[in-house]
Amino acid sequence: MAFAVTNSTVTDTSKILRTGNKIYFRKTGAMTWVDFGWPFNTSPTQNITFSQLMGNRTGVAVQLRNDMTEAAFGVEFDTVSVKDSDVYSLYTGGTGIVGATGITNATGFALKAGTTLGRCIWVQEDNAGGTALVMWMPAASISGNGEGEQDGYHTLKFKIDRLAKAGYVPDAALGTYSGNTSSDYGINFLLTNLAQLPALLDKIDAEP
């Protein structure tokens, strides 16, 4: 049998993804999603821990097994949309309340430690190529991760952790996927037709 590769079109320019980022988060119990506006410095996180089993029969230790024992996935990013009250409430962990008396032209936010639980959609969109990579996280947590500055503009930093949802299987409306595709951490979709993105977001929104 002659040498062959399964992805002979891998070097086509259509396989390149030049990304803009759109990040959406929906708090547990909420009906609508918070849009993070203008993110930048967007970076996926993947922390994997392995346990190694070693043995020594000849005076030289050799590795017998290398098993994954911990896995954590997520995304970290900044946003310059700092004056949006919904974005800022996720940063502080508190709910914004507009004053009813006294100083009424202000919204107060309780600063709470910890994280906010919910769901997340991260879209890496390539308008030029007409494609998108969509990371659907049916369980996630978000927390503020510090403040920053970009050429004099104030920024907020966020950290989203992709949480395991044991036995997660997507609703049939999203499509039929095998057990190899479905996972506790949700699904990543590679859209080759950007026009399908609104329909995909609608179906994700309706996920039970």
Side-chain angles (χ1 to χ4, degrees):
M1 182 177 178
F3 175 82
V5 297
T6 58
N7 56 337
S8 59
T9 61
V10 67
T11 55
D12 290 358
T13 56
S14 63
K15 306 298 183 182
I16 299 171
L17 185 64
R18 181 181 181 186
T19 60
N21 293 281
K22 297 176 181 177
I23 300 173
Y24 309 96
F25 192 89
R26 190 174 78 190
K27 294 192 292 186
T28 300
M31 299 299 294
T32 55
W33 299 79
V34 173
D35 183 341
F36 284 91
W38 297 100
F40 76 106
N41 285 345
T42 306
S43 176
T45 58
Q46 181 170 312
N47 299 311
I48 307 295
T49 302
F50 291 90
S51 228
Q52 293 183 339
L53 178 65
M54 307 294 292
N56 190 332
R57 282 173 59 92
T58 63
V60 178
V62 295
Q63 179 176 294
L64 302 174
R65 293 189 59 162
N66 190 33
D67 297 321
M68 185 187 299
T69 56
E70 295 181 25
F73 309 95
V75 59
E76 296 181 3
F77 63 96
D78 297 26
T79 180
V80 297
S81 303
V82 299
K83 293 195 291 184
D84 182 271
S85 60
D86 292 307
V87 169
Y88 196 70
S89 69
L90 287 175
Y91 178 79
T92 62
T95 301
I97 303 296
V98 177
T101 60
I103 306 300
T104 56
N105 292 329
T107 303
F109 299 86
L111 187 61
K112 298 182 178 180
T115 59
T116 301
L117 298 177
R119 298 175 161 197
C120 178
I121 304 170
W122 174 20
V123 180
Q124 292 183 316
E125 183 177 317
D126 180 6
N127 252 315
T131 60
L133 185 61
V134 181
M135 277 66 74
W136 158 227
M137 311 175 200
S141 66
I142 187 170
S143 58
N145 197 29
E147 301 183 20
E149 180 267 342
Q150 182 190 169
D151 288 339
Y153 295 95
H154 187 62
T155 69
L156 297 177
K157 298 177 181 291
F158 285 90
K159 182 177 186 294
I160 294 178
D161 290 310
R162 194 170 191 164
L163 305 179
K165 185 177 181 180
Y168 169 73
V169 176
D171 188 74
L174 275 174
T176 303
Y177 297 96
S178 69
N180 291 331
T181 305
S182 306
S183 79
D184 295 346
Y185 290 98
I187 296 179
N188 291 355
F189 297 92
L190 180 58
L191 285 183
T192 54
N193 181 357
L194 194 56
Q196 293 180 328
L197 181 58
L200 176 61
L201 295 180
D202 284 344
K203 294 184 185 303
I204 288 176
D205 179 68
E207 277 274 277

